[in-house]
Amino acid sequence: MTEEESEKNYRSTLPGPLGPIDTWISKIEAVILAMGIILMAINTIANVIGRFVFGESLHFSEEVNRILIVMVTFAGIGYAARHGRHIRMSAIYDALPTGGRRWLMIFICLFTALVMFVLCYYSIGYIITLYGRGRVLPSLSIPVWIMYVWVPVGFAITGIQYLLTAIKNLTSRDVYLSTHVVDGYKDTETEV
């Protein structure tokens, strides 16, 4: 199974009720990401057609795209963590033996989860502040705070993914980048 097929048919290997919950969250994230990108494309194309064919832009287009960008960005960080697609700088990590890499990965995952949960906490405070100010988007006339609801949700889901990855590394002999992605490099040389 290729990496793309693995992501499309994601099924969590976590024990007990964590597995089905993780699989369910993964499916919701995939739908949110796909719909967000499709809606951004439709909105942008409609705005371009409106501007160049009818001479009138959609007055709400920029605000809709801003909402969708926030949604896709913060739904995407959980997705990236789930599929081991986050950025790594691994010079020291790669030099360690398997046991050392596993313990370093546990530390990295726990620390990253902590950072995500702290950012979640502060983003909730920011949303509460925005709610108190009562600001609305000029074209859509919806409260500004609604646009940022995805921020703490994305941070929380990402923190949970890193926490689950730490648990997976604690209960396994292999080193995992996520709950189902084993650490390692693929041989990219072509055979002649």
Side-chain angles (χ1 to χ4, degrees):
M1 184 182 291
T2 67
E3 211 168 298
E4 270 183 35
E5 289 170 341
S6 172
E7 286 181 20
K8 193 185 333 181
N9 301 317
Y10 177 78
R11 183 168 216 85
S12 180
T13 58
L14 294 169
L18 293 177
I21 292 170
D22 188 37
T23 301
W24 181 75
I25 291 172
S26 173
K27 290 184 186 318
I28 290 173
E29 278 175 345
V31 168
I32 289 170
L33 291 171
M35 292 304 296
I37 297 297
I38 290 168
L39 290 173
M40 268 194 285
I42 291 169
N43 181 44
T44 303
I45 290 168
N47 192 38
V48 168
I49 290 171
R51 185 180 312 129
F52 290 108
V53 174
F54 302 111
E56 191 77 30
S57 289
L58 301 173
H59 66 283
F60 57 84
S61 183
E62 181 185 341
E63 290 177 1
V64 170
N65 273 353
R66 192 177 340 154
I67 292 167
L68 292 170
I69 287 170
V70 170
M71 181 182 76
V72 166
T73 299
F74 288 95
I77 60 174
Y79 184 87
R82 171 177 283 104
H83 295 286
R85 298 296 185 121
H86 45 278
I87 295 173
R88 299 185 302 147
M89 291 185 233
S90 59
I92 296 170
Y93 174 85
D94 287 344
L96 296 173
T98 303
R101 285 197 326 259
R102 192 164 61 83
W103 284 107
L104 183 56
M105 183 57 72
I106 291 167
F107 172 77
I108 290 168
C109 289
L110 290 174
F111 181 76
T112 306
L114 176 67
V115 169
M116 292 296 115
F117 292 134
V118 167
L119 289 172
C120 178
Y121 173 80
Y122 282 111
S123 64
I124 290 170
Y126 179 69
I127 290 170
I128 291 169
T129 301
L130 285 176
Y131 177 80
R133 291 183 180 160
R135 290 181 45 210
V136 296
L137 294 171
S139 293
L140 296 173
S141 297
I142 61 172
V144 172
W145 67 268
I146 290 174
M147 178 170 65
Y148 294 109
V149 166
W150 290 104
V151 176
V153 171
F155 283 140
I157 288 174
T158 305
I160 291 167
Q161 280 305 310
Y162 278 106
L163 196 58
L164 293 173
T165 302
I167 293 168
K168 183 74 173 185
N169 279 304
L170 282 168
T171 60
S172 173
R173 291 178 156 224
D174 292 325
V175 180
Y176 282 82
L177 300 176
S178 72
T179 56
H180 74 286
V181 177
V182 179
D183 183 28
Y185 293 102
K186 290 185 177 169
D187 187 8
T188 58
E189 293 182 36
T190 56
E191 293 182 21
V192 182

